[in-house]
Amino acid sequence: MLNADNIKEYLSEIEEALQNDFQRKTLDTFAVAYRTGRANAFSGMDIPGLVKDIARSKDDSLAEMDELYQQFKEKAQALGVHVHLAADAKQANEIIAGIAREHQCRNVVKSKSMTAEEIHLNVALEKEGMKIVETDLGEWIIQLRKEPPSHMVLPAIHLSRYQVADLFEKVTSKKQDSDIFKLVKVARRELRREYVQADMGISGANFAVAETGSLGLVTNEGNARLVTTLPRVHVALVGLEKLTPKLKDALLLLKALPRNATGQQITSYVTWLTGPSECKSSADGKKVMHIVFLDNGRRKLSSDKNFSQILRCIRCGACANVCPVYRLVGGHKYGYVYIGAIGLVTTYFFHGRDKARLLVQNCINCGACKEVCAAGIDLPGLIKDIHARILDEEGHPPRSKLLAMVLKNRRLFHMLLRNMRFAQLPFADAKARYVRHLPSIFMKGQDFRKLPVLASTAFRDKWKSVKPNVSRPKLKVGLFSGCAVDFIYPEQMEAAVKVISKGKSIAQDHPEKQTCCGLPALMMGEKDAARETARQNIEAFASSGSDYIVTLCASCAAHLKYGYPKLLEGEKGLEQKLKAFTDKVMDFSSFVRDVMRISPMLFRKTVQKVGYHSPCHLCRGLEVREAPRANINLVHEYVPTAEEEVCCGFGGSYSLNFPPVSRTLLAGKMANLRAGGISAVGTDCPGCVMQIRGGMARAGIDIEVKHVAELMAEQLK
Ligand code: SF4
Ligand code: SF4
């Protein structure tokens, strides 16, 4: 669980987590195996269709939360169940403690429940003098270690079997073998005794079916069955968002849950409870059964147009499984109670702003979580929204206020960039085009890669001299350069201009009034500045009359196309221009391959082995995967390398704010590229070029890093 109070402490906790070799190796192995397991488990299924159905079904249920609760209550009460509604964590704990007191329960066995973690139920009941024993193996292990879970589905994934053997040795006072099978036997033996002695069982529930008043529980160990059937009192703690109208709605979620969680087609145990079961130790022969529904902000959230999405979550944990940051730092540094991308968002609502403030900054915006979310939740978008909301509530720091002010004023922004190239001269290696050294205040933690200098002439200032003359054009392309291409790598856009000019009758334009796409401002929580730059770009291209808006920057492309509609939603008078703009946006690789249908005859193909790094916002943001690889293969021999779609660690300002994570992601990327036996790597994003090229240069690795446009232009006949 995150303890840091400020960014300095958080960074030092992150550094510590990065030194945990066992955790790093385990999470790496799991991340790779998970991808294959998930793909196999979903094989032959229409995943986008399933995700859409789940999102729709959950949204419908959320819209009727109160009605479903009433319906469930009536059905369950008719079966003899006591149903409660707790407004918040405190009330839920009091209700459960009250039930225990009323029935003289002292010994509690519990099955895994994130909702119970959310309200810190164990702590509350222990204060009442009760003995609580977790019965899920992972949960039992971390309970014995007095730790919170580090993953929503695999709570003890951060521990080795040797650590578990040592722990069990202490618990049993006997020497223990580290063989996993034997360790499981130890747990089974110890826990059986607890089940038999327990007078109360506490469970969560994955589904609460209103039409029948039934609960559904999904487990792999069968412990929930013992917890809910052996003790004479059963209490289920259930978040209100688990209500579904009918059994078929629950079964729809069940289709995705095990597949998305662990890559299993079906989980080992699915338990349905409809009313109290037989119980010989009760006076009336029936178990005492209570269901405590937890609100804790859920009812209010369910009517929030934007954030209600988070209540669709089925707690599969997939958003952590694929998150490159989680994979490096583990759940104790990437969540509070709820872990991974969803944890970054829910922490704000369930545990407050103080717990969320640092977490929401630690997202590199790679989009991997969104791609696998079983409920179609726009997790990266919501993380940015929470960040912006926290800044609005607490006040924006001077650094981001300044950035916002500068970005809103295009002339000032570009004037500053032009003048900065003079300011950098004393620190620059002009020939190599890297910063030689910077005062340490600017370089803190940044020396894992060389940083580029600003170009002597920005692309916008070269445009007139490189603009091709096309008489009677049939198509017009508007070039959107973005800040990095415009001011650092103008040669990338020059290369693109050369390649595009090989198309028949294509005119090109570079509207002067274009400016930063606004993503950096959004990443810093400066939504107003991001909106303003979006408006400026839409206006700049509206007057250009282009048929396509082509960009070399994957992040710009994804933001222009999909970020702008969200940012400017509902803005009066802009709808048509916005749509006309976003419809035209395209990445360079797709444009030359799919629109120009560029001929291989235009290029000299070599046998040079060239790899590819797939920018997050191209492969997941725009879902462009094949075009850039095919383009490389037109001019060189494209060689696949491992984990091409895993983030390089750039993430714009992220790499400046979280250098330890950026450095480690880059190291992994470079290791994979080196292992591919390639002499060059192409990519479609100036930010990725900056990160990987700078890393290669710093490490002295002889692999060239270029934009795909450059690779192509160099081989034009
Ligand atoms: S966008 Fe990427 S870094 Fe951010 S939470 Fe999702 S997976 Fe993790
Ligand atoms: S947010 Fe999506 S991926 Fe993450 S746990 Fe919830 S359903 Fe699974």
Side-chain angles (χ1 to χ4, degrees):
M1 198 178 282
L2 190 64
N3 295 315
D5 281 331
N6 56 53
I7 193 75
K8 202 170 160 206
E9 284 174 20
Y10 188 29
L11 283 171
S12 104
E13 286 187 17
I14 284 172
E15 277 287 11
E16 206 178 296
L18 290 170
Q19 305 307 319
N20 184 340
D21 291 340
F22 174 78
Q23 176 173 278
R24 291 268 308 276
K25 198 159 170 268
T26 308
L27 295 181
D28 262 351
T29 311
F30 176 66
V32 174
Y34 169 76
R35 242 178 276 143
T36 316
R38 179 181 185 270
N40 291 340
F42 277 114
S43 169
M45 291 174 71
D46 169 16
I47 308 177
L50 179 60
V51 169
K52 255 192 206 150
D53 289 346
I54 289 175
R56 199 179 312 119
S57 162
K58 287 294 287 184
D59 285 347
D60 290 348
S61 303
L62 293 172
E64 307 184 317
M65 191 181 264
D66 287 348
E67 293 81 355
L68 291 176
Y69 169 71
Q70 283 307 330
Q71 191 187 352
F72 184 98
K73 189 176 170 186
E74 278 161 30
K75 290 284 173 187
Q77 281 178 340
L79 294 162
V81 182
H82 307 270
V83 181
H84 314 254
L85 177 58
D88 54 22
K90 188 166 173 278
Q91 203 179 23
N93 287 329
E94 280 167 4
I95 292 171
I96 297 172
I99 298 166
R101 277 194 299 271
E102 185 190 339
H103 297 281
Q104 289 96 42
C105 301
R106 308 302 302 166
N107 296 312
V108 178
V109 281
K110 210 171 139 265
S111 65
K112 193 167 164 320
S113 158
M114 286 309 295
T115 316
E117 298 281 351
E118 176 187 327
I119 64 168
H120 304 300
L121 177 62
N122 288 8
V123 178
L125 294 184
E126 277 163 2
K127 274 192 194 147
E128 297 271 330
M130 284 174 232
K131 180 185 171 195
I132 323 289
V133 178
E134 294 285 351
T135 59
D136 170 274
L137 178 55
E139 286 283 339
W140 188 51
I141 291 168
I142 59 164
Q143 183 188 30
L144 293 172
R145 285 174 59 94
K146 300 188 184 2
E147 278 178 350
S150 73
H151 187 285
M152 289 204 289
V153 179
L154 311 157
I157 192 172
H158 59 291
L159 297 172
S160 74
R161 62 196 166 109
Y162 303 104
Q163 288 169 294
V164 175
D166 287 349
L167 181 72
F168 284 6
E169 222 165 284
K170 278 190 206 134
V171 173
T172 59
S173 307
K174 280 188 206 143
K175 180 96 193 120
Q176 297 296 348
D177 199 308
S178 59
D179 176 77
I180 290 177
F181 186 68
K182 289 182 181 157
L183 290 172
V184 171
K185 271 193 159 174
V186 174
R188 183 183 296 217
R189 200 173 48 237
E190 295 293 317
L191 289 173
R192 288 284 151 139
R193 204 168 35 233
E194 303 292 349
Y195 288 118
V196 173
Q197 286 169 359
D199 30 37
M200 179 189 260
I202 298 180
S203 73
N206 297 85
F207 322 107
V209 182
E211 69 171 341
T212 54
S214 311
L215 297 180
L217 285 89
V218 178
T219 70
N220 265 326
E221 297 172 21
N223 59 314
R225 287 194 178 169
L226 294 172
V227 163
T228 56
T229 51
L230 282 181
R232 61 190 160 82
V233 179
H234 170 213
V235 178
L237 174 68
V238 187
L240 277 170
E241 79 282 14
K242 300 285 171 57
L243 283 158
T244 65
K246 296 183 184 303
L247 182 63
K248 73 173 174 49
D249 305 296
L251 295 179
L252 176 71
L253 310 183
L254 195 54
K255 256 190 191 175
L257 182 52
R259 289 182 167 92
N260 221 36
T262 47
Q264 290 168 278
Q265 298 217 337
I266 181 98
T267 196
S268 307
Y269 299 88
V270 181
T271 304
W272 298 99
L273 302 169
T274 307
S277 53
E278 306 287 313
C279 179
K280 291 228 165 107
S281 53
S282 276
D284 65 352
K286 286 269 182 194
K287 184 183 295 296
V288 177
M289 186 175 179
H290 290 255
I291 300 176
V292 181
F293 280 96
L294 179 68
D295 180 348
N296 208 23
R298 287 163 170 81
R299 289 170 75 206
K300 189 166 170 225
L301 251 181
S302 68
S303 54
D304 184 306
K305 208 167 150 246
N306 187 28
F307 287 106
S308 61
Q309 292 178 67
I310 62 175
L311 296 176
R312 291 183 198 153
C313 176
I314 60 167
R315 307 273 184 262
C316 66
C319 52
N321 299 350
V322 297
C323 173
V325 184
Y326 169 83
R327 182 172 162 179
L328 292 181
V329 305
H332 289 159
K333 304 297 164 218
Y334 211 59
Y336 180 64
V337 167
Y338 293 101
I339 310 288
I342 189 70
L344 268 54
V345 187
T346 50
T347 299
Y348 174 88
F349 293 102
F350 295 158
H351 296 105
R353 195 168 69 204
D354 281 353
K355 303 278 185 258
R357 185 183 301 109
L358 296 168
L359 288 172
V360 288
Q361 297 174 51
N362 194 5
C363 164
I364 202 165
N365 194 31
C366 71
C369 49
K370 184 178 173 182
E371 191 183 43
V372 298
C373 178
I377 304 171
D378 177 13
L379 292 155
L382 296 182
I383 293 168
K384 287 197 279 283
D385 288 343
I386 292 284
H387 187 198
R389 185 187 270 210
I390 291 175
L391 290 185
D392 287 347
E393 287 168 356
E394 295 190 333
H396 294 224
R399 189 170 73 137
S400 76
K401 264 200 217 161
L402 186 66
L403 175 89
M405 190 264 288
V406 171
L407 280 184
K408 280 186 194 173
N409 186 333
R410 179 184 67 82
R411 284 177 194 280
L412 172 67
F413 177 47
H414 291 160
M415 191 263 290
L416 285 174
L417 283 171
R418 284 187 182 100
N419 286 323
M420 267 169 67
R421 74 170 182 257
F422 299 112
Q424 74 186 2
L425 286 177
F427 311 108
D429 176 343
K431 196 160 162 255
R433 294 184 57 190
Y434 286 117
V435 173
R436 209 171 341 106
H437 63 88
L438 270 179
S440 57
I441 186 171
F442 296 118
M443 283 303 282
K444 204 154 186 274
Q446 296 296 323
D447 55 356
F448 59 90
R449 59 179 174 188
K450 289 195 174 187
L451 293 172
V453 292
L454 291 164
S456 55
T457 311
F459 181 76
R460 62 180 52 240
D461 298 327
K462 287 184 175 184
W463 172 236
K464 279 197 182 124
S465 62
V466 299
K467 181 179 179 174
N469 276 324
V470 180
S471 54
R472 284 192 295 199
K474 291 190 183 134
L475 196 71
K476 188 169 180 187
V477 171
L479 302 169
F480 182 88
S481 46
C483 311
V485 167
D486 204 350
F487 288 90
I488 300 173
Y489 300 125
E491 66 276 14
Q492 294 181 3
M493 193 57 101
E494 287 180 68
V497 170
K498 278 188 199 149
V499 175
I500 294 172
S501 65
K502 293 291 172 186
K504 280 194 195 114
S505 312
I506 302 180
Q508 299 182 57
D509 184 23
H510 185 262
E512 200 199 345
K513 288 188 177 164
Q514 65 180 284
T515 186
C516 172
C517 70
L519 184 59
L522 193 63
M523 288 290 289
M524 292 180 85
E526 296 293 341
K527 260 191 159 178
D528 283 346
R531 279 195 197 99
E532 178 53 32
T533 55
R535 285 184 206 109
Q536 289 179 21
N537 283 321
I538 291 167
E539 283 303 331
F541 280 86
S543 49
S544 152
S546 312
D547 301 295
Y548 289 92
I549 298 170
V550 172
T551 176
L552 300 191
C553 177
S555 300
C556 293
H559 185 53
L560 299 177
K561 200 167 182 69
Y562 299 119
Y564 279 17
K566 268 187 240 157
L567 264 178
L568 300 173
E569 193 185 355
E571 197 155 311
K572 293 224 165 38
L574 203 66
E575 296 91 341
Q576 279 186 350
K577 274 188 186 167
L578 172 65
K579 178 149 184 351
F581 178 88
T582 55
D583 283 353
K584 290 175 187 173
V585 173
M586 201 175 227
D587 63 288
F588 168 80
S589 277
S590 300
F591 180 77
V592 293
R593 186 170 168 78
D594 302 335
V595 179
M596 284 175 66
R597 298 189 186 280
I598 203 150
S599 162
M601 307 298 286
L602 292 168
F603 302 98
R604 293 179 301 269
K605 182 170 164 73
T606 78
V607 291
Q608 188 186 354
K609 292 188 181 347
V610 176
Y612 177 63
H613 162 67
S614 188
C616 301
H617 295 152
L618 195 71
C619 61
R620 287 180 286 275
L622 296 180
E623 296 189 43
V624 172
R625 293 190 153 95
E626 289 318 307
R629 291 169 173 93
N631 286 340
I632 293 175
N633 222 19
L634 273 182
V635 294
H636 298 296
E637 186 190 333
Y638 158 62
V639 176
T641 54
E643 306 213 300
E644 285 180 349
E645 292 191 358
V646 171
C647 182
C648 67
F650 180 63
S653 55
Y654 180 91
S655 62
L656 300 175
N657 296 335
F658 287 88
V661 180
S662 178
R663 177 192 76 213
T664 317
L665 285 172
L666 176 60
K669 177 57 63 180
M670 293 198 301
N672 284 330
L673 291 170
R674 276 186 101 175
I678 51 175
S679 57
V681 58
T683 186
D684 300 81
C685 185
C688 303
V689 170
M690 191 186 301
Q691 174 86 341
I692 305 172
R693 187 187 282 173
M696 295 285 188
R698 173 64 75 217
I701 298 169
D702 194 15
I703 295 179
E704 284 187 300
V705 185
K706 292 189 172 168
H707 197 286
V708 172
E710 293 176 285
L711 292 173
M712 296 182 83
E714 285 166 356
Q715 298 310 124
L716 280 169
K717 284 181 185 164

